[in-house]
Amino acid sequence: MLDNLGIRVERIATKVTKHGAACVEGGVVGFAIKTKQIDRFVRPTDAAATEIAIGERFVLVVGGEHELPIATGFAPSGTVAGDKLFIDPDDNAVKRTSIAAGDLPLGVVVEKDTAPDPDRVLVNTNAWQAFLPTPS
């Protein structure tokens, strides 16, 4: 996972969250980093290594640029450079089109990389100006 800058704050998970995914905890939007030490016999692909459980401490990276794979739970399919991404604080679903009441701005996609599998997008979470209303 690419991670440029950002402030790191410690949080306790109120919902199951994937490591590296965008999430909202305590009204703060960021990217979840699993910090709990796993047992040495746990496979790196098991949920114990890739998911942050409810009640588990983790680090929330707020601000900066972050790379997200275009896959379920990370970035929506069809995402392209210039898209504004939003996040639902109830279930951490990332959206790029019509948003519901209560959804929060996540960031703006600055580039899409189709070389890796799955495709990835780079999201700038500091581009808050893109979410301001346009003067009439």
Side-chain angles (χ1 to χ4, degrees), residues 49-130:
T50 62
E51 292 183 349
I52 300 164
I54 295 171
E56 184 179 331
R57 282 191 179 280
F58 71 100
V59 170
L60 186 66
V61 181
V62 181
E65 289 185 332
H66 305 274
E67 187 179 75
L68 291 177
I70 297 178
T72 304
F74 288 92
S77 64
T79 302
V80 296
D83 282 350
K84 294 180 203 170
L85 298 182
F86 299 84
I87 186 165
D88 183 344
D90 296 330
D91 61 4
N92 293 333
V94 176
K95 306 170 184 179
R96 70 177 184 91
T97 53
S98 60
I99 61 165
D103 287 353
L104 300 171
L106 173 63
V108 176
V109 176
V110 293
E111 68 180 53
K112 180 176 181 178
D113 185 359
T114 58
D117 185 24
D119 295 350
R120 300 175 182 279
V121 292
L122 186 61
V123 179
N124 182 346
T125 61
N126 295 330
W128 56 268
Q129 303 91 336

Side-chain angles (χ1 to χ4, degrees), residues 19-44:
H19 167 77
C23 73
V24 180
E25 279 298 342
V28 179
V29 177
F31 291 80
I33 305 296
K34 184 173 181 78
T35 57
K36 182 179 178 185
Q37 180 70 40
I38 58 172
D39 187 67
R40 65 182 173 204
F41 299 111
V42 173
R43 291 183 187 145

